[in-house]
Amino acid sequence: MTIRYLTAGESHGKGLTAILEGIPAGVPITEAEINKELSRRQNTFGRGERQMHIEKDAVQLLSGIRFGQTIGDPITLFVKNKDWENWGKVMSLIEEDFDDKFSQLKARPGHADLAGVIKFARRDIRDILERASARETAARTAVGTVCRKFLSLFDIEIFSWVTEIGGVRATLPRLPIQEIARLAKESPVLCPQPKAAKAMMQKIMAAKKAGDSLGGVYEVVATGLPIGLGSFQQWDLKLDGLIAQALMSIQAHKGVEVGDGFALGRMKGSKANDEIFFKEKGQFFRKTNHAGGLEGGMSNGEPLVVRAVLKPIASLRNPLRSVNIRTKEEVSAEIVRSDIAPVAAAAVVGEAVVAITLAQEFKRKFGGDSLREMKDNFERYQRYVQSY
Amino acid sequence: MTIRYLTAGESHGKGLTAILEGIPAGVPITEAEINKELSRRQNTFGRGERQMHIEKDAVQLLSGIRFGQTIGDPITLFVKNKDWENWGKVMSLIEEDFDDKFSQLKARPGHADLAGVIKFARRDIRDILERASARETAARTAVGTVCRKFLSLFDIEIFSWVTEIGGVRATLPRLPIQEIARLAKESPVLCPQPKAAKAMMQKIMAAKKAGDSLGGVYEVVATGLPIGLGSFQQWDLKLDGLIAQALMSIQAHKGVEVGDGFALGRMKGSKANDEIFFKEKGQFFRKTNHAGGLEGGMSNGEPLVVRAVLKPIASLRNPLRSVNIRTKEEVSAEIVRSDIAPVAAAAVVGEAVVAITLAQEFKRKFGGDSLREMKDNFERYQRYVQSY
Amino acid sequence: MTIRYLTAGESHGKGLTAILEGIPAGVPITEAEINKELSRRQNTFGRGERQMHIEKDAVQLLSGIRFGQTIGDPITLFVKNKDWENWGKVMSLIEEDFDDKFSQLKARPGHADLAGVIKFARRDIRDILERASARETAARTAVGTVCRKFLSLFDIEIFSWVTEIGGVRATLPRLPIQEIARLAKESPVLCPQPKAAKAMMQKIMAAKKAGDSLGGVYEVVATGLPIGLGSFQQWDLKLDGLIAQALMSIQAHKGVEVGDGFALGRMKGSKANDEIFFKEKGQFFRKTNHAGGLEGGMSNGEPLVVRAVLKPIASLRNPLRSVNIRTKEEVSAEIVRSDIAPVAAAAVVGEAVVAITLAQEFKRKFGGDSLREMKDNFERYQRYVQSY
Amino acid sequence: MTIRYLTAGESHGKGLTAILEGIPAGVPITEAEINKELSRRQNTFGRGERQMHIEKDAVQLLSGIRFGQTIGDPITLFVKNKDWENWGKVMSLIEEDFDDKFSQLKARPGHADLAGVIKFARRDIRDILERASARETAARTAVGTVCRKFLSLFDIEIFSWVTEIGGVRATLPRLPIQEIARLAKESPVLCPQPKAAKAMMQKIMAAKKAGDSLGGVYEVVATGLPIGLGSFQQWDLKLDGLIAQALMSIQAHKGVEVGDGFALGRMKGSKANDEIFFKEKGQFFRKTNHAGGLEGGMSNGEPLVVRAVLKPIASLRNPLRSVNIRTKEEVSAEIVRSDIAPVAAAAVVGEAVVAITLAQEFKRKFGGDSLREMKDNFERYQRYVQSY
C-alpha cells in the first residue's frame, strides 16, 4: 500500500481531520508523541497570540491504532479547534444561522482571499480564508509525526533550523548535524547560532512594534536515508521534485533549494559536484555535499539538505490597501490576529512534509505491510549496498 | 479527461517516446510546430557539439492527430535518436550482443550513476545514464509544445529568459513581457540584456577552454492565466507546489522560486505583498507582482513568474575524481561529450514543463472534451470574472 | 478538482470517518439527508439485530459545510459507533490495555481474517476484522449521499431494487423506473414485486431459523445521465470498468453485470445491440437497452443499468470449520452477531458507490469549482447535444 | 516504483504504442515472447478475416530492454499496423489531406460511435471508432505479456479457457488447472471440452453464414499467488475491484464474476464459503474454492478464478438500423469487416489484463527495483507465511 493522506477542516470550524493510509502494521505511536510536535509548531518565537495562548493543540487518534501501535488500517487524526465554541454561529452548519454581518468583504493581499472567492463563486471571504489558513499545517504536522516515527525505526532522522529571518542570516556552526539541531532546539527561533538568534528576535520585536511582519529561510536535513529513494525514470518519480512540491505547498512558501541551491548557479562544475570516494569497510562516500544528498532524482547516501523561504505574512496590524469584493471600494485589508514571523513554526511544518514524502518513497521502495516485513526488506537491501 | 503523460527512451537507444493523454479534440498541431521548439532546445549557446551537430531532433506524431488536429485520442510523440545507428551493438535488445567491454564502470559525480547502479542492481553504469540523461527533456519539450499550443488558443502565452550564467547576472529591462521575450530570443544565450549576454558568452568560452562547466538561472513567465487555477484545498492541488515539482524534476535543477522568491525572506510584510486595486472596467489588478501571480496556491490573474537554477553539469573534460564501481579503485570519472552551460536550453525545457502543468490545471478547472466545449466553458467563466 | 475520498475507522472503534474532496461550492446538504440514507442501509429486512437495534447511525459533518451548503472545502463525515463505550478496553489506543484474552484466534472462512493476519503479521484476528467489516459501508453510504445530492441538482437520479434472494427471483414489472423504485421502497426487502418479496422474506426467516445465511442480486439504475461520461481513450477511463470496480469493492460482492450482462453471452448480435433512432425534436434514442446505458465505456443517454451479486455472509450461527491461527487446531469459526441476508442493505450501498463514481466522472467532464459554474457548463453542453 | 502504463494508437493509424513503467530491472524478455501472445490473440476461431490474414502483429521494443533484459527503464512497445499503407490518406496527419468523402456518418449501434462523436464534438465517426476499436487490445496484450513474464519468475502462472459461446456451455473437466489449460490450447476456440468446442464452432459457422455474431464467456485462472495481494483497507485497494475494472474495461465486456459469482446468490452461507484446514507441513488450505481465491479483497492462497462475458459484436454483415449523424436519416449501420465470435481472443486479452493487475499488486506488496531485490523480499515473505 502506497502512503497517501488527505486533510480537511477549517481554521475556526470544529477541528482539523486527517486520514493517513499505508503506514505498515506494528509501528508504535502515541497521541503524546504527536502532541509534542504540535506544541513545537505552536510555541516558537514570532508567532501571534492566538498560537501562543489559545490553541494548545492536542490530537485524537480516532482509528488505525490499537494497543499502542498501528494495525495497518487508515489512521484518523483529529485536532479539535479549542476556539470553536466562540465561532459556532459564524461557522454554523445550518442555513438558518446565516447572517450577512458575519461576512468578510475586505480581501487581504497576499492571501487566497480574492482568487478564492472568484474561483468558488462565494460572496464571503470567510468561505475561503478558513481553509486557506496556515492553521491547516497542524494537520500536516500530525501526519508528518506519524511518518517520522515510522522512519525513525529505520534510523532515519529529520532535523531543521532557521538560517535567516528578516534579513538576519545565521552562519551554521561546523558541527555534526545532531549538534546543530541541539543548538537550534535551544533557541526560541530555532536558530543554532546564538548571536544571530538574538538579532532575529530583536528584528521580530521591532516588526511587531511597527505592525509589520517578517519572512525567512529554514533548512531541513534528513540523515540515514538509504541509497536509491526516488527515481530518474519518470519526471514525477524524482525525489527532488516531490520534496520541492511538498515544501512549496506549505502556505506562504515562495522558494525551495536542494543542497547549495541557487549558489550552484554561480559555481564552476569542477567545484560544484561531489567527488566520489570509497572507504575500506565497503562504502562509497563524499567529502562534500553540494548536491544536498540528491543526484539524478535519488537519495545518494549523504544527508538530504533542503531549504525553503517563507514570505512575510500579509496580515498586518497596519493593513495594506485593498478592495471590498462587493462594493469594489478601496478599503484597508481586514485585520486578523496573526503571526509576526512564523519562520521557526514553518520549519517544524517543513520537517513534517519532508517526513511524509520520505515515508512515501521509503514504502514505495521497500514494500511490505508490516513493520517486520519492511525491516526484513530494508535490512537485506542495506547489506547488499554494503557489499555492492 | 485529466491530462497525463509518460515518457520513455534511452539517450542512445532507438528514440524517445511520449504518450500524452487528455488534450481535447480539435486542437490544431503540426510536427513542424513541435520541431521548432525541439530546435530551440538544441541550438543555444553553451551546448556541446553533440547537440549542435548530430541530433537535429524531429518528432513523429504516431497517433492522436488526424487532418491537422487532435481528435481526443492519446497522442504518441516519437523522436528518433539520429545517432542510433552507431550504437546498435552497445544498446542492443539481444542478450547475445552483450560484451563487457561496452560496460561503463567509472561513476560520474553529480549524476545518477552511482545511486542508480546500486538501486537497480546493475553492473554497468550505461544501464543508468542512458535514461537519467537530460536527453529525456527532448520528449518533455515535445509534450510541452502540444500543451502550449493548446493554451495559446486561450491566449495563454509562455516565455522564458536567462537571468544568470556562471555568476554573471542580467538586469531585466523595464519593458513589457513580450518585449523582454523578443530581446531574449535575439540572444544566443536567451538573455534579454545584450551586455550581460555578451559577458555570459565570454564566461562560457572561458569555461570551455578550461574544461569546466557553468550553471545559471532562468525565468519562466506565463501571461493570460485566468484567476483560480490550482487550489488551496489540499496540499497536492496547490499550483505553486505543482510547478515547483515540474521544474525541480528537470535534470540538474537545484532550486525553484516563485515571484520574488528567496528575496521575500529579507523583505517586510508591508512591502512584500501586492496591494489590490480595482479598475473602472471591472477588473481587480495589482501594481506590483512580488507573489509571481500565485496567492493561496492559485493563479491570481497577474503574470506567473517562476525561476529555476541549473547547477553546472558534472561531466567535465577535466574529469572529477571517482571510483570504479567494480574494483573500487580511485579513477577519473568517465569523460562524456557534454554541454558547457546549457542554461538557455534548460529555459526552453522549463517553458515546456510549465506549459504541461498549466494545461493540466486548465483542463481540471474547465473540463470538456473538445476545444469547442472548453472554449464555451472558459469564455463564460471569464465573463463571470469580469462581472464578479 | 477531481472528486476523491478516503474512509477510515474500525467496526467497534470510536467511529467511521470519511474525507470527501472536490464537491463544488454551493451544493445544499444537511446531516438529516445523509442520516436518511444511513437509516435505509440499516433498516431493511434481513439484517442482524445489531443493525436493527444498536446502531442508528447519525453523521456529523465536521468540515466543508457552512450555512447549509458546501463551500468547496474537503468535507469530513464522522459516524460515531454507538456501541463504542462497550468496546473501549478491547479497542484501546493504549499499549497498557492489551490483554490477550481479547484476542480472536478462530479464523472465519469467507472473510479477510486469515489472509489479513498473515499479510499484516498480526496475532489477533480482531486487528483485521474490525476494518474489513461491512460496517465500513456506512461511511461510503454517507459519502455517496453527498454525491447523489450533487447529481440530483442536474436531474440525475439513482435507484435500486433487489431482484433475487436465496434463489427466489423477482420479475421486474413493466413500469417506468420511478414506479419500480416506488414499489421497491414499499418492500422490506426492496423488491418491487410483492409476491417475490414475500417469498424472499420467508426464505430469510427459514435461513435464520437454520442458523444459515443467504445472498442475492440487486440492480442499480441511474437516469438523466448526459451522453459522454467516461471515455474509451484509455483502459482506466472507461465508465463500465470504473463502476465494476466500485461495486465489486463492496464487501462480499462477487459479480457485476452491465445491462443484460451474462445473458448477452447467449444472444445473437442482431438481437443484443440497441438500434439507434432519432426523434423529431432533436434527440437520438433507443427502443431497447441491452447495453445498460453504456457503449464504448461511455454513457449513451439511456438509463444506466447495473447488477451485482452478494454472496451469503460467512458468519453463521452454525459456524463453519476452521483453524486456530496460533495452535493450528481445527476449530469452529468464531460466532459473530451478523446479518442473515443483507441484500437490500447492499443495494443501498450499491446506489452510493454508483453515485460516487458518476459524480467523479461528471466533475471530470464538466469541470468547475462552484455549482453555478458547473450548471453553466452542463446546461450549455446539453443544449449542444440537442442540436448536434 | 508502481507499475503503470498507457496505450495509444488508432486501429488504422501507424501503429499501437504502449509505455509500461515499473517492471524491475533484470527481467528477461524478448520480442518473440510477446509476439507469441499477439499471435494467440489473432489466430483463434471466430475472428474475422482481417485478423487471420492481414495483421500478423509483431512488437518492436523501442526502449527499456538491453541485452535481453529489462534495466528498470520505462518499456516502449510498438505494434505496427501492417495495413497502414492503405490508409495513409484516410488517416493522414495533414490538414490538406482532408476529404469529406472519407467521413463515416452511419453510427453503429453497440459501439462508441454515437456517444463518441457527441462527446468529442466530431463530425466523422472515424475519429471515434479508430481508437474505440478492440484493435487496442493488441497493445494491452503486449503489455500483459511483459507482466506475465515477470510474474512467472515467481512461479505465478495465468491460464484461460472459454466456457460458453452463443449459448453452448462447456462443462469443465475435473482435472488439474494445467491440464485444463493444455486441453484448451488444443482447441481453436480455447475450450477444454472437445464436444462443446465442436458445437461452439458449428454455432460460429452458422452465425457467420447468417451474417450475425455471437458472444460468450471465458475464465481466467492464476496460480501461485502469495497470500495477501490487494487489501481491504480502502475501497480502491481491493483486488477483486481492481480485477473487475481491468476485465470490464475490455471492449464489449458486460459482466465479471469472481469464483462462483452470480451462482453464489442462490447458495446458502453454509455451502458457499470455503472452510479452512491446515496441513502438517505448515500451510493453511481449502477443499473448495467458491471464493475464487479472493477473500476480503485479498488473494487467499487458492487459485484466482474470474470469469467475464463478451457481448456479441455489433458490426454485422446484415447491419442494424441506425441514423446518419448529420442528416439524421434512418440508415443501415456501416458494415465493417469484423469478427464473428472473438471469445477466445478475448480470453487471451483477459489473461493479459489480469497479469497486469496482478503485477501491479505484486510490486506494491514486495517493493524493490531489481528482480534480485524482489526475489529476496518475496522469498522471505513466503518462508514467513510457511511458518506463520
Side-chain angles (χ1 to χ4, degrees), chain B residues 110-349:
Chain B
H111 283 275
D113 294 14
L114 184 59
V117 288
I118 291 172
K119 177 181 177 78
F120 289 99
R122 310 308 296 166
R123 307 298 292 169
D124 176 1
I125 291 167
R126 182 156 299 283
D127 287 345
I128 302 307
L129 69 86
E130 282 287 331
R131 177 72 190 150
S133 159
R135 171 79 187 133
E136 181 267 343
T137 60
R140 280 196 262 182
T141 301
V143 168
T145 305
V146 180
C147 290
R148 127 193 270 155
K149 180 67 188 289
F150 159 56
L151 292 170
S152 77
L153 304 173
F154 300 86
D155 294 323
I156 297 170
E157 302 289 342
I158 297 167
F159 308 97
S160 77
W161 39 77
V162 169
T163 61
E164 190 179 330
I165 291 180
V168 179
R169 279 197 205 189
T171 309
L172 290 184
R174 293 192 149 275
L175 291 170
I177 286 164
Q178 286 77 354
E179 267 311 285
I180 302 178
R182 199 187 50 73
L183 287 172
K185 284 202 176 163
E186 286 175 0
S187 152
V189 286
L190 214 59
C191 173
Q193 192 194 19
K195 209 173 104 184
K198 200 173 161 190
M200 287 172 182
M201 288 188 277
Q202 285 167 344
K203 269 267 182 184
I204 292 172
M205 299 292 280
K208 189 177 182 179
K209 214 166 172 180
D212 215 325
S213 68
L214 299 173
V217 178
Y218 64 87
E219 193 163 287
V220 177
V221 174
T223 59
L225 296 178
I227 291 174
L229 297 189
S231 180
F232 55 86
Q233 301 286 6
Q234 198 69 240
W235 74 276
D236 58 357
L237 301 175
K238 305 206 181 194
L239 186 53
D240 33 19
L242 292 165
I243 287 175
Q245 181 190 15
L247 286 166
M248 198 73 104
S249 77
I250 307 173
Q251 285 78 346
H253 281 50
K254 303 298 277 188
V256 178
E257 292 183 314
V258 176
D260 288 354
F262 278 90
L264 288 164
R266 297 184 289 275
M267 291 164 76
K268 288 184 179 166
S270 52
K271 300 295 175 203
N273 292 285
D274 306 303
E275 296 186 308
I276 301 172
F277 300 94
F278 189 78
K279 245 181 270 192
E280 275 302 302
K281 296 166 166 242
Q283 227 173 333
F284 297 95
F285 73 101
R286 321 291 175 111
K287 295 177 180 168
T288 54
N289 189 16
H290 301 294
L294 289 172
E295 286 173 314
M298 293 173 292
S299 56
N300 69 359
E302 299 300 310
L304 175 83
V305 180
V306 292
R307 257 178 317 284
V309 63
L310 185 75
K311 70 166 189 168
I313 294 301
S315 298
L316 305 176
R317 218 184 55 233
N318 291 332
L320 297 164
R321 279 179 295 174
S322 185
V323 175
N324 177 305
I325 58 166
R326 294 198 197 153
T327 65
K328 311 299 189 292
E329 289 168 313
E330 189 174 317
V331 293
S332 286
E334 195 74 24
I335 301 177
V336 175
R337 271 179 313 176
S338 185
D339 300 329
I340 309 302
V343 189
V348 175
V349 180

Side-chain angles (χ1 to χ4, degrees), chain A residues 185-206:
Chain A
K185 284 202 176 162
E186 285 175 1
S187 153
V189 286
L190 215 58
C191 173
Q193 191 194 17
K195 211 172 102 184
K198 201 173 160 190
M200 287 172 183
M201 288 189 277
Q202 285 168 344
K203 270 267 181 185
I204 292 172
M205 299 293 278

Side-chain angles (χ1 to χ4, degrees), chain D residues 256-285:
Chain D
V256 178
E257 293 184 314
V258 175
D260 288 353
F262 278 89
L264 287 163
R266 298 183 289 274
M267 293 165 75
K268 288 185 178 167
S270 51
K271 300 296 175 203
N273 292 286
D274 307 302
E275 295 186 308
I276 301 173
F277 300 94
F278 190 77
K279 244 181 269 191
E280 274 302 302
K281 297 168 166 238
Q283 227 171 332
F284 297 94
F285 74 100

Side-chain angles (χ1 to χ4, degrees), chain A residues 28-176:
Chain A
I29 188 81
T30 64
E31 290 179 349
E33 288 170 291
I34 299 169
N35 291 340
K36 208 177 126 199
E37 292 297 310
L38 291 176
S39 169
R40 278 184 70 211
R41 177 183 161 277
Q42 287 189 292
N43 297 305
T44 49
F45 196 87
R47 303 230 50 189
E49 286 177 14
R50 179 181 176 191
Q51 291 306 320
M52 302 298 281
H53 299 299
I54 302 171
E55 290 187 11
K56 285 201 203 320
D57 286 331
V59 79
Q60 296 172 50
L61 295 169
L62 300 181
S63 79
I65 314 291
R66 191 170 171 231
F67 299 140
Q69 59 180 240
T70 58
I71 58 173
D73 292 359
I75 301 166
T76 307
L77 306 105
F78 181 70
V79 181
K80 201 185 158 185
N81 285 334
K82 290 280 169 62
D83 214 13
W84 153 249
E85 283 69 22
N86 303 322
W87 288 82
K89 277 286 174 186
V90 178
M91 295 300 294
S92 169
L93 267 186
I94 313 296
E95 193 183 352
E96 289 67 34
D97 285 340
F98 173 76
D99 189 334
D100 201 24
K101 75 172 185 226
F102 299 143
S103 297
Q104 187 159 324
L105 304 180
K106 302 173 190 171
R108 295 165 305 156
H111 283 275
D113 294 13
L114 184 59
V117 287
I118 291 172
K119 177 182 177 77
F120 290 99
R122 310 309 294 166
R123 306 298 292 169
D124 176 1
I125 291 167
R126 182 155 301 284
D127 286 346
I128 303 307
L129 70 86
E130 283 287 330
R131 177 69 189 152
S133 160
R135 171 82 186 129
E136 181 266 344
T137 60
R140 280 196 262 183
T141 302
V143 168
T145 306
V146 179
C147 290
R148 128 192 267 157
K149 180 66 188 290
F150 159 55
L151 291 170
S152 77
L153 304 172
F154 299 86
D155 294 324
I156 296 170
E157 301 290 341
I158 297 167
F159 308 98
S160 77
W161 40 76
V162 169
T163 61
E164 190 178 330
I165 291 180
V168 179
R169 279 197 205 189
T171 310
L172 290 184
R174 294 192 148 274
L175 291 169

Side-chain angles (χ1 to χ4, degrees), chain C residues 140-162:
Chain C
R140 280 196 262 181
T141 301
V143 167
T145 306
V146 180
C147 290
R148 127 193 270 155
K149 180 67 188 288
F150 160 56
L151 291 170
S152 76
L153 304 172
F154 299 86
D155 294 324
I156 297 170
E157 302 290 341
I158 297 167
F159 308 97
S160 77
W161 39 77
V162 168

Side-chain angles (χ1 to χ4, degrees), chain C residues 14-25:
Chain C
K14 287 171 193 154
L16 302 171
T17 308
I19 296 178
L20 167 62
E21 183 182 278
I23 299 295

